[in-house]
Amino acid sequence: MDNLRVTMGWAWTYLVVAELVAANSGLGYLILNAMRGLYTDVILLGVFTIGILGLLTDFLFKWLRQRLLPWSAEF
């Protein structure tokens, strides 16, 4: 389960990079267009949104680990 948490972090990173490189929609595309127009508020909103979604996903995996694997020790 811990490996899934780590892998999900990498998946978020690759998703944003893929959107920055070749996408017509999504948060990465929104950030890239905002960078071209120097819309700092939109850039920060996109970055914070990605961060919050990543944290929520991490907390979800942590919660699932506690519920599904109660015998596993938390360090």
Side-chain angles (χ1 to χ4, degrees), residues 12-36 42-43 46-47 50:
W12 272 108
T13 303
Y14 291 138
L15 175 72
V16 173
V17 168
E19 287 181 352
L20 286 171
V21 171
N24 296 326
S25 63
L27 287 172
Y29 181 75
L30 178 81
I31 293 170
L32 187 62
N33 279 342
M35 284 174 28
R36 290 180 182 150
V42 177
I43 296 169
V47 170
I50 291 170

Side-chain angles (χ1 to χ4, degrees), residues 42-55:
V42 177
I43 296 169
L44 290 176
L45 176 68
V47 170
F48 286 137
T49 303
I50 291 170
I52 288 173
L53 287 172
L55 279 174

